[in-house]
Amino acid sequence: MKKRILGKDLEVSAIGFGCMGMSHAYGPAADKKEMTELLAQTIERGYTFFDTAEVYGTPENPHDNEELLGTALKPYRNQIVLASKCGIRFDETSDAINKPLIPDGRPETIKKSIDGSLKRLQTDHLDLYYIHRIDRTVPIEETAGAMKELMEAGKITHWGISEADEATLRRAHAVCPVTAVQNRYSMMYRDYEALFPVLEELQIGFVAFSPLANGFLTAKYNKESKFETGTDYRSNMPQFTSESIDKNQEMIHYLQEMAQKKNATPAQISLAWMLAKKPWIVPIPGTRKYDRMMENAQSVDIKLSEQEVEELDQMLETVPMSEVFGGSRQKERRS
């Protein structure tokens, strides 16, 4: 697979692999043996960039995903870029399907978290370590300072921020250069395009999570699609309601037409559009399925002209579009 550079020198596969869905938010945790086999197949296909977090798990096993990756990716550790995240916990008092997040960017939390992640991931360092959400009760300079200390200790080689805004990013970058922001980005969620000039200026990469709008842009879902209540966030996402499926039909039809023209799938058009935007954007779609993993990888080979990208942008600006899941609610940390 082709490669891209995040920040100044972190080389990754042009499509990364988001591992969250194997353990969290898309139904019960998947079978470990099957996922271990799938992860080995991703390596064979050329993926080198794997994304997880300490909170991707289940109530029974809160760190399921890191533990899965630790075992599955250990044989390939020197061939891959491994990214994880710290700095949030779930509000376990909530009965919501997608529980509110409680950010915690305190240096002592970050330093404790990295040791747990390294142990579970069976490695002595992470190639990229994110603060998972910004904790407004802690100056970002303190969080950045803790990341700098982890670099100096050899526990991480690069750091990033998830869901970053411009002001926070500039302040953090001044303390310790940021390699990547990981923000939500898809054809249905383009808010962070406003951040692109800043990223270009500071030479920071953009890692796009939910690049297919939680799978909606595969065009595989309809009103009969069922999601497990309680463990599958999609059961509560606005884009999957009957009304939204009707509202989004014109957009999906346009994607299907473009896909047919390019001998591709709607998902591949969505990812190719994103790759064409900037050379430092790296989407990290996730899946539990071999065919979908291969389909995502092949999007790298689909070339969209500037005119085609402009046509897609114009379509996105003008066709009706539903609301899309914008992330779990955040609560302020109390001590």
Side-chain angles (χ1 to χ4, degrees):
M1 195 191 293
K2 291 169 184 160
K3 299 286 183 21
R4 292 195 159 197
I5 303 291
L6 295 174
K8 292 184 170 58
D9 62 0
L10 186 60
E11 186 180 76
V12 298
S13 50
I15 301 281
F17 197 87
C19 301
M20 178 187 77
M22 293 177 164
S23 305
H24 179 80
Y26 288 83
D31 180 80
K32 289 266 198 309
K33 184 172 181 292
E34 288 177 15
M35 294 303 98
T36 298
E37 289 170 1
L38 179 60
L39 286 163
Q41 289 163 334
T42 65
I43 305 270
E44 288 172 18
R45 184 55 186 81
Y47 287 85
T48 65
F49 186 30
F50 295 85
D51 182 88
T52 183
E54 67 175 347
V55 294
Y56 295 161
T58 64
E60 301 74 36
N61 187 6
H63 306 300
D64 184 90
N65 204 239
E66 285 189 334
E67 290 174 3
L68 165 66
L69 267 60
T71 301
L73 296 177
K74 189 175 183 180
Y76 315 101
R77 182 64 187 96
N78 63 354
Q79 304 169 39
I80 64 170
V81 170
L82 194 51
S84 193
K85 311 178 202 73
C86 65
I88 59 169
R89 65 180 188 272
F90 293 109
D91 177 11
E92 295 298 343
T93 65
S94 169
D95 57 5
I97 295 169
N98 50 327
K99 297 182 188 305
L101 308 175
I102 301 172
D104 187 349
R106 292 174 294 179
E108 58 267 32
T109 300
I110 293 168
K111 291 171 187 177
K112 183 179 178 184
S113 290
I114 186 65
D115 291 334
S117 289
L118 292 177
K119 185 176 180 181
R120 289 185 291 270
L121 289 163
Q122 301 186 42
T123 185
D124 63 355
H125 75 283
L126 288 180
D127 304 292
L128 181 56
Y129 198 42
Y130 298 97
I131 188 74
H132 207 152
R133 290 292 183 274
I134 294 159
D135 183 350
R136 301 295 176 186
T137 68
V138 175
I140 194 63
E141 289 82 357
E142 292 184 17
T143 300
M147 292 294 191
K148 188 175 184 180
E149 286 182 39
L150 295 186
M151 283 186 188
E152 290 165 352
K155 293 183 177 183
I156 67 174
T157 59
H158 303 78
W159 85 287
I161 308 179
S162 191
E163 297 283 86
D165 58 83
E166 177 181 348
T168 307
L169 194 54
R170 287 188 182 279
R171 287 167 53 200
H173 191 74
V175 175
C176 183
V178 175
T179 290
V181 298
Q182 184 180 133
N183 288 2
R184 183 181 304 275
Y185 184 47
S186 72
M187 284 184 161
M188 295 182 75
Y189 195 96
R190 300 172 64 193
D191 301 27
Y192 286 113
E193 286 183 355
L195 201 58
F196 287 179
V198 182
L199 300 177
E200 208 130 42
E201 175 198 335
L202 300 179
Q203 205 174 337
I204 297 172
F206 188 103
V207 175
F209 75 87
S210 299
L212 298 173
N214 307 99
F216 188 85
L217 293 169
T218 62
K220 298 288 186 185
Y221 296 95
N222 56 40
K223 293 180 183 180
E224 280 67 57
S225 299
K226 296 279 186 278
F227 307 108
E228 186 160 327
T229 305
T231 57
D232 194 325
Y233 286 15
R234 289 171 296 183
S235 65
N236 206 32
M237 287 182 185
Q239 67 265 40
F240 291 103
T241 66
S242 292
E243 298 77 21
S244 292
I245 284 167
D246 286 337
K247 190 171 186 177
N248 292 321
Q249 277 311 297
E250 189 177 343
M251 174 186 66
I252 292 295
H253 182 65
Y254 193 102
L255 276 180
Q256 288 169 327
E257 282 191 337
M258 176 74 81
Q260 193 169 13
K261 177 178 154 188
K262 304 295 280 190
N263 193 27
T265 66
Q268 289 172 335
I269 295 299
S270 295
L271 293 172
W273 165 84
M274 189 175 291
L275 292 169
K277 284 280 185 179
K278 297 289 180 183
W280 35 261
I281 294 177
V282 177
I284 52 167
T287 187
R288 299 179 176 193
K289 297 174 181 173
Y290 175 83
D291 291 348
R292 183 76 70 219
M293 177 273 288
M294 293 293 287
E295 178 186 350
N296 292 341
Q298 289 157 0
S299 62
V300 172
D301 301 316
I302 293 158
K303 296 287 175 286
L304 296 177
S305 67
E306 281 186 32
Q307 184 180 342
E308 286 168 333
V309 173
E310 284 174 14
E311 285 174 16
L312 285 166
D313 283 346
Q314 183 63 24
M315 179 272 292
L316 296 172
E317 294 288 348
T318 53
V319 302
M321 195 181 296
S322 76
E323 291 294 309
V324 66
F325 182 62
S328 301
R329 191 167 62 86
Q330 287 186 207
K331 287 180 71 174
E332 193 170 301
R333 173 176 51 80
R334 301 191 185 283
S335 80

